[in-house]
């Protein structure tokens, strides 16, 4: 379980449904992620409610009996927030609030709230605010009456608190204004990218919380904010990195996540442009996470959506220091699962047959770092030579760190 000081957190319960498209194992995975999201936002989860349905109820998402069960539990245990694993329609939100009489959030609202907490720069705050207003617009009547009753807390940060009497027209004007503001900043950022000159650009991509920022710090010898929470990095960070004699630019980007709200994909367009315009993608994977294969698939899906899936790529399987598996006894005849596969065995699966260069490292302990750096060097070198064939400052690879150690 997550380490939490109970009294500092909002008490919440989670709700999810098992459907034809989402079996029990998949739901458990999503609910684990939802609990981590809730923890990141500042909630402590008291209980999970699940229900098996052919498809979610169009009026209340869950059945009336389950809604009553949740209502009773919430009342008895003084729970202030109910978080649903999927995006709820405006009418579902309205009906659930009327029925249960507490704050109802969905996965989208929760992710938007975390982004609102994490946004540091004016640019990130503008992006988040736009996404929040786009989410708010169809839910306006519900949110305003709700805000009069419920001040602050998760899902209530950002636009709304001071504008209870506002109407849809003002919200639309605000959205228009924010879009114009982002267009100006996007142009500035595009100019910055064009001005980076004759340097190959690599971008770290991956699911949220896989260790991209830790890897960025280790490679660029700089301090980029990193912590064990989802979406620790919102603002794009660009650093110059030199491996051997070869300089290139390395970008740390916002982490991807399953069921990423469409509003965020749209408003974070410029951040994603860093990925689109990179020459090389370094796809970082947390191999210690039990669902890492699904996370790889989610990232690949997002790369496809933004048309960046055909770029040169390096697969970096991180956190090998955290990897563990359950070795089966020889006389154990039960079928093997993913939990019984060792790291060496994983390397012989699709990972070893990948069309991309693949390396297994620990960004924390720097295990296998020389191998990874040589791999990055080789890929950057290929791009550099194809683009600037007459640039003669390149020569044989050597490892900076080894050089520094020899000079000590």
């Amino acid at each position: 379980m997550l380490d939490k000081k109970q009294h500092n957190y909002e008490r919440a319960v989670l709700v999810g449904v098992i459907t034809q498209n989402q079996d029990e194992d998949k739901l458990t995975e999503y609910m684990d992620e939802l609990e981590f999201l809730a923890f990141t936002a500042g909630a402590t989860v008291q209980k999970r409610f699940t229900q098996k349905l052919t498809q979610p109820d169009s009026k209340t998402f869950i059945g009336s009996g389950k809604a009553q069960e949740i209502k009773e539990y919430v009342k008895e245990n003084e729970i202030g927030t109910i978080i649903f694993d999927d995006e709820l329609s405006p009418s579902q939100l309205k009906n659930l609030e009327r029925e249960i009489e507490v704050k109802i959030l969905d996965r989208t609202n929760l992710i938007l709230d975390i982004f609102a907490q994490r946004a540091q720069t004016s640019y990130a705050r503008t992006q988040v605010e736009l996404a929040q207003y786009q989410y708010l617009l169809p839910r306006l009547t519900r949110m305003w009456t709700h805000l009069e009753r419920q001040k602050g807390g998760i899902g209530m940060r950002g636009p709304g608190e001071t504008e209870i009497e506002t109407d849809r027209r003002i919200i639309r004007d605000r959205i228009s204004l924010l879009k114009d503001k982002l267009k100006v900043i996007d142009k500035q950022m595009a100019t910055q990218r064009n001005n980076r000159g004759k340097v190959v650009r690599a971008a770290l991509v991956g699911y949220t919380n896989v260790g991209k920022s830790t890897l960025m710090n280790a490679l660029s010898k700089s301090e980029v904010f990193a912590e064990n929470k989802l979406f620790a990095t919102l603002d794009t960070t660009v650093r110059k990195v030199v491996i051997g004699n070869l300089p290139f630019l390395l970008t740390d980007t916002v982490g991807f996540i399953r069921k990423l709200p469409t509003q965020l994909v749209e408003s974070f367009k410029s951040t994603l442009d860093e990925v689109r315009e990179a020459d090389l993608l370094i796809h970082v994977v947390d191999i210690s996470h039990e669902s890492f294969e699904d996370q790889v698939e989610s990232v690949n899906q997002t790369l496809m959506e933004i048309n960046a899936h055909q770029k040169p790529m390096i697969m970096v399987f991180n956190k090998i220091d955290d990897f563990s598996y359950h070795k089966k006894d020889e006389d154990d005849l039960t079928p093997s699962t993913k939990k019984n596969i060792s790291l060496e065995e994983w390397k012989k699966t699709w990972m070893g047959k990948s069309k991309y260069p693949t390396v297994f490292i620990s960004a924390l302990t720097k295990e296998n770092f020389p191998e990874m750096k040589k791999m990055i060097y080789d890929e950057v070198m290929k791009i550099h030579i194809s683009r600037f064939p007459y640039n003669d400052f390149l020569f044989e690879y050597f490892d900076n760190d080894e050089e520094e150690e020899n000079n000590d």
Side-chain angles (χ1 to χ4, degrees):
M1 283 304 289
L2 300 163
D3 177 29
K4 326 177 184 66
K5 292 174 184 169
Q6 305 286 337
H7 59 276
N8 289 338
Y9 287 77
E10 281 184 41
R11 290 159 63 79
V13 296
L14 309 182
V15 183
V17 293
I18 299 163
T19 62
Q20 294 163 322
N21 305 324
Q22 187 168 272
D23 62 19
E24 196 171 341
D25 289 345
K26 188 62 71 182
L27 178 65
T28 302
E29 244 175 67
Y30 285 147
M31 294 288 261
D32 288 346
E33 189 166 271
L34 191 66
E35 181 163 351
F36 201 0
L37 283 166
F39 165 66
T40 300
T44 173
V45 174
Q46 303 296 313
K47 189 175 168 70
R48 296 179 181 188
F49 291 91
T50 60
Q51 186 174 26
K52 202 168 187 175
L53 295 169
T54 313
Q55 59 186 53
D57 186 281
S58 59
K59 288 180 182 173
T60 53
F61 195 77
I62 46 175
S64 54
K66 183 60 72 174
Q68 189 57 38
E69 183 191 335
I70 295 170
K71 183 178 180 176
E72 286 166 13
Y73 180 86
V74 162
K75 204 170 181 181
E76 283 168 24
N77 295 275
E78 297 178 355
I79 304 294
T81 309
I82 300 172
I83 306 170
F84 282 75
D85 185 45
D86 288 283
E87 187 166 323
L88 300 171
S89 70
S91 63
Q92 285 171 334
L93 272 168
K94 197 173 168 185
N95 293 334
L96 282 163
E97 285 212 319
R98 195 187 296 130
E99 178 78 23
I100 305 177
E101 297 175 334
V102 294
K103 179 167 57 173
I104 308 285
L105 301 179
D106 59 16
R107 189 185 182 94
T108 300
N109 201 347
L110 184 62
I111 292 172
L112 287 171
D113 185 82
I114 294 166
F115 272 61
Q117 290 182 52
R118 298 271 158 164
Q120 296 295 321
T121 63
S122 160
Y123 184 47
R125 283 195 294 269
T126 306
Q127 289 175 312
V128 174
E129 194 181 344
L130 174 60
Q132 285 184 308
Y133 274 128
Q134 288 170 331
Y135 172 84
L136 259 171
L137 191 57
R139 298 164 176 82
L140 207 54
T141 50
R142 169 251 164 195
M143 289 297 281
W144 286 171
T145 55
H146 182 72
L147 285 164
E148 287 170 321
R149 191 173 73 248
Q150 183 86 33
K151 300 287 183 188
I154 299 170
M156 299 295 119
R157 273 172 278 257
E161 289 181 12
T162 58
E163 300 185 63
I164 292 168
E165 280 76 41
T166 197
D167 60 14
R168 279 191 172 80
R169 183 181 54 76
I170 293 174
I171 292 285
R172 286 198 184 100
D173 288 348
R174 185 73 185 142
I175 286 173
S176 176
L177 192 75
L178 289 167
K179 281 184 173 175
D180 289 343
K181 190 175 174 184
L182 284 178
K183 272 180 197 163
V184 172
I185 305 175
D186 285 346
K187 273 184 187 170
Q188 290 169 350
M189 292 183 81
T191 307
Q192 280 175 10
R193 282 194 290 270
N194 292 336
N195 288 344
R196 286 178 194 158
K198 295 183 175 183
V199 184
V200 174
R201 294 189 300 210
L204 293 166
V205 296
Y207 209 73
T208 180
N209 206 40
V210 294
K212 295 189 299 298
S213 297
T214 307
L215 184 58
M216 175 83 158
N217 288 338
L219 281 169
S220 65
K221 299 182 176 66
S222 63
E223 287 304 313
V224 175
F225 182 66
E227 69 169 331
N228 187 31
K229 278 192 174 181
L230 302 179
F231 304 116
T233 308
L234 279 196
D235 289 299
T236 303
T237 311
V238 184
R239 293 280 184 273
K240 184 180 177 183
V241 176
V242 181
I243 296 181
N245 58 301
L246 182 59
F248 63 96
L249 292 176
L250 184 63
T251 305
D252 187 13
T253 59
V254 64
F256 300 158
I257 195 167
R258 287 172 287 199
K259 304 182 185 178
L260 188 68
T262 49
Q263 295 93 337
L264 276 176
V265 174
E266 189 184 328
S267 65
F268 273 73
K269 177 189 166 296
S270 187
T271 306
L272 295 170
D273 278 345
E274 289 284 353
V275 177
R276 277 192 204 95
E277 295 183 24
D279 303 303
L280 171 69
L281 300 181
I282 301 171
H283 184 166
V284 186
V285 183
D286 174 4
I287 197 164
S288 70
H289 196 288
E290 57 184 22
S291 306
F292 74 85
E293 286 183 293
D294 286 340
Q295 294 184 348
V296 168
E297 184 54 41
S298 292
V299 173
N300 288 339
Q301 191 62 44
T302 308
L303 290 175
M304 204 171 281
E305 283 168 21
I306 63 171
N307 205 25
H309 58 293
Q310 291 177 321
K311 291 181 179 293
M313 189 187 289
I314 293 172
M315 295 295 294
V316 176
F317 291 94
N318 187 25
K319 302 193 185 182
I320 58 172
D321 54 313
D322 242 2
F323 178 85
S324 61
Y325 74 105
H326 301 295
K327 189 174 182 180
K328 282 178 66 177
D329 296 328
E330 285 180 20
D331 57 354
D332 185 351
L333 300 176
T334 56
S336 289
T337 66
K338 287 181 181 179
K339 291 177 182 173
N340 305 126
I341 304 176
S342 71
L343 195 57
E344 290 310 309
E345 286 168 329
W346 271 121
K347 290 178 185 178
K348 291 171 188 167
T349 62
W350 58 271
M351 298 175 190
K353 302 180 185 104
S354 169
K355 63 178 178 179
Y356 303 113
T358 301
V359 65
F360 295 78
I361 65 147
S362 164
L364 214 54
T365 66
K366 297 196 174 180
E367 191 176 345
N368 294 339
F369 249 49
E371 188 187 340
M372 178 193 64
K373 286 168 78 175
K374 178 72 168 74
M375 205 172 271
I376 295 172
Y377 178 91
D378 289 344
E379 291 304 306
V380 171
M381 175 89 129
K382 275 183 214 167
I383 297 162
H384 190 98
I385 289 171
S386 67
R387 191 169 302 163
F388 318 114
Y390 305 109
N391 187 330
D392 58 0
F393 78 85
L394 296 170
F395 43 86
E396 199 176 337
Y397 170 81
F398 67 90
D399 191 320
N400 302 65
D401 293 342
E402 284 179 19
E403 187 80 1
E404 284 168 19
E405 283 167 20
N406 295 337
N407 292 337
D408 286 345

